[in-house]
Every structure is written in C-alpha cells, then in structure tokens.
Amino acid sequence: MLGYVAVRLLSAIPVLGIVAVFVFFLLTMIPGDPAQVIAGDFASPEQVQQIRAALQLDRPLAERFVAWALRLASGDFGKSLFSGIPVAQLVGQRIEPTLMLATMTVCIAVVIAVPLGLVAAYKPGGWVARVSMTTAVLGFSLPVFIVAYLLVYPFALGLRWFPVQGYVPLSQGLWACLHSLTLPALALSLLYIALIARVTRAAVLEVLREDYVRTAHAKGLAERRVLVRHVLRNAAVPVVTVVGIGFAALLGGVVVTETIFSIPGLGRLTADSILRRDYPVVQALILLFSTVYVVVNLGVDLIYAAIDPRIRY
C-alpha cells in the first residue's frame, strides 16, 4: 500500500508540471497589462513603463518563464504583482475560510443526503422519495446565488439568526466561526445534497437487487444488520467518490458564494487576482487546486480499499 501511495504521489509531479507550464503561457495570453492596472487609469505611459520594468514584465517571455520555473522548483511562488506580499503568505491567509466553508458544506450535505437517498431507495413510492426527487430537481435547477438570497432574506434580515455577511476566524471560537458560515454552507450544500442523494439512492437500489442481500434476508438477519453490514457498505463506494470530488471542487469553486457573503477566502482571492492580472497569485492558486484534486483522488482510492476488501492495489 505504501508503494502504491508513493507511486501515485510521484506520478502527480509531471501532471502538476504540465499544468504549471500550461497556466503560465495561458495567463500571458489574457488581454490586459498588470502594470496598467496597478498604475491606474490616469497614469502616463512613462509611469506604466516604469512599473512594467520594476516588475520585470518588459523581459522576453522565454526569459520570464525560465526565471519563474527556477523559482517554482525551489518552492518560491514569487510575490504578488499588486500588493508585493509573498504569494505563499497571501494564499496561507485565505485558505482557512475556504477550507472551513467546504468542510461544513460537505458535512451538511452528507448528513442530509445519505439518509434521504437511503429511505428513498427502501420506499420508492413514499413521501421521502418524492421529497428527495424534488430536492434533486431544485438543487440542480437553482443557481447558488439565488439560493443564497432566498436564505439571507428570512434568516438574516428577517429573523436575524445569522449574519448577512462576513467571516469569524477559527481563532475566535469554533461556534462563532460555524455560525458565520451557516448560511453560505446551506446555500452551497443544496446542489451537493441533490447529487449525493441521487447517487445514494441509485447505489442502494442496485445493492438491494444483489443475491447476497436476498440471502441475508432469507437467513433471518435483522433489517438493521442487513442495512449496515451489506447494503450501506457496498453502496458506499460511489457515494465516497462523489463526496471526495465534491470537496475538491468546493475548494476551487466557491467564488460566487464567497463574494455574496464577503468571505475572504481563496475564491475571492482568485477572482480579484484574475481581474488585477496578478499572474503569480493565479498560477499558485491553480497549482494548489490541482494538488488538492490529486490528493483527494488518492484519499478516495484508499478509502475504497478500506470499505471493500476486494479492492487491492
């Protein structure tokens, strides 16, 4: 198993290298000049040229790529073109809100969706199944920003149970942090509740048709024991896949939610950096998101082996 983990981690290095090179040249093709953005609309051409020279943006593209690749190989992501702060420090300051938001969203989605999908599979014509299918349709149909505004009006502006915007750092207390993230997490979780509930329902329905489940019932095993030992365990593999990929996608895809609720996370940093043409920050963020995908996929594969002993690497 350790050998498999080592091979997977080593095989990720060339993938991340290709991503890094692709991102570097792709960003240079984006219209707009970072020096002009920093200088402002009323700067003279001489002032813009001075900023461009100070940032070494006037050097040939090949020379800039070699310098950037050498810095990256040594673990140096450079400095932000806009603020001058080291990129690693800038990303480190923004990672906590996004990580907390993604974790809370996945937890809410799993706690609601798995029982919903399970009951919907056991009682296909019942009201839970209809609620599950309605939730799935709403989750896939309503954009996140619509759900966010639908939650803000009654629960933040009306009842004042939660703050409209903002983020309370974890250092000020876990409860205060979770309280500030409740509405954003609920807004984000609707889509994942719909997705996980549908996958859970489909997986459980397939397992219920298997011979070993009928045999377990024929042997007189209690329904709860059949559910836990046979149904849930064998239906968990596709659910784990959706949860893992969903968590990785959340880390890089919370731009809209973080903007609506003014959460200073990686999503807002990505959007701001793209608008400012802050190339080093965008490059570092894309590499970070790519690394998260690789690590999460590896974690999902390892969980497969723990759930189903027939899976070996």
Side-chain angles (χ1 to χ4, degrees), residues 51-74:
I51 295 174
R52 189 178 291 114
L55 298 176
Q56 301 180 350
L57 296 174
D58 56 346
R59 293 186 178 181
L61 182 61
E63 185 178 338
R64 286 163 48 196
F65 172 72
V66 171
W68 170 79
L70 291 175
R71 286 200 309 271
L72 187 63
S74 64

Side-chain angles (χ1 to χ4, degrees), residues 285-302:
L285 287 170
I286 293 177
L287 282 177
L288 173 64
F289 297 146
S290 303
T291 305
V292 168
Y293 268 99
V294 171
V295 173
V296 168
N297 275 316
L298 175 59
V300 168
D301 287 346
L302 296 179

Side-chain angles (χ1 to χ4, degrees), residues 27-301:
L27 290 177
T28 58
M29 292 189 287
I30 295 177
D33 185 355
Q36 182 67 61
V37 175
I38 295 172
D41 296 333
F42 302 103
S44 65
E46 291 76 15
Q47 290 174 317
V48 174
Q49 185 57 37
Q50 288 176 356
I51 295 174
R52 189 178 291 114
L55 298 176
Q56 301 180 350
L57 296 174
D58 56 346
R59 293 186 178 181
L61 182 61
E63 185 178 338
R64 286 163 48 196
F65 172 72
V66 171
W68 170 79
L70 291 175
R71 286 200 309 271
L72 187 63
S74 64
D76 181 8
F77 293 95
K79 294 183 178 180
S80 165
L81 298 179
F82 192 81
S83 63
I85 300 174
V87 173
Q89 180 182 343
L90 200 58
V91 173
Q93 292 171 350
R94 299 294 194 95
I95 200 167
E96 181 195 300
T98 301
L99 192 60
M100 290 298 298
L101 177 59
T103 303
M104 190 172 178
T105 300
V106 169
C107 289
I108 291 174
V110 170
V111 168
I112 295 176
V114 171
L116 205 61
L118 187 62
V119 176
Y122 262 84
K123 297 182 179 179
W127 66 271
V128 176
R130 290 195 291 271
V131 169
S132 175
M133 292 302 101
T134 304
T135 304
V137 172
L138 289 175
F140 288 123
S141 304
L142 290 177
V144 173
F145 68 91
I146 294 293
V147 179
Y149 287 125
L150 290 176
L151 291 173
V152 165
Y153 185 75
F155 297 111
L157 299 178
L159 298 173
R160 299 181 183 276
W161 287 353
F162 304 101
V164 178
Q165 292 181 325
Y167 170 72
V168 177
L170 194 58
S171 59
Q172 296 185 21
L174 178 61
W175 170 248
C177 177
L178 297 180
H179 184 252
S180 69
L181 289 176
T182 300
L183 289 186
L186 287 174
L188 268 175
S189 64
L190 182 60
L191 172 63
Y192 291 94
I193 289 173
L195 183 61
I196 296 172
R198 288 184 71 97
V199 171
T200 303
R201 178 177 176 272
V204 171
L205 281 174
E206 186 175 347
V207 172
L208 288 175
R209 300 189 189 102
E210 295 291 339
D211 292 338
Y212 56 82
V213 174
R214 285 196 289 269
T215 304
H217 282 127
K219 289 168 62 178
L221 292 180
E223 187 63 36
R224 179 177 298 179
R225 193 171 181 184
V226 175
L227 175 67
V228 174
R229 294 192 60 179
H230 298 284
V231 177
L232 279 181
R233 188 166 186 171
N234 289 285
V237 171
V239 179
V240 169
T241 304
V242 173
V243 173
I245 300 301
F247 181 77
L250 276 171
L251 288 180
V254 293
V255 177
V256 175
T257 307
E258 289 186 354
T259 302
I260 292 174
F261 291 97
S262 291
I263 298 173
L266 296 178
R268 284 190 63 190
L269 179 62
T270 304
D272 293 341
S273 300
I274 292 174
L275 291 175
R276 293 168 177 170
R277 310 294 189 275
D278 202 343
Y279 300 145
V281 179
V282 178
Q283 290 161 351
L285 287 170
I286 293 177
L287 282 177
L288 173 64
F289 297 146
S290 303
T291 305
V292 168
Y293 268 99
V294 171
V295 173
V296 168
N297 275 316
L298 175 59
V300 168
D301 287 346

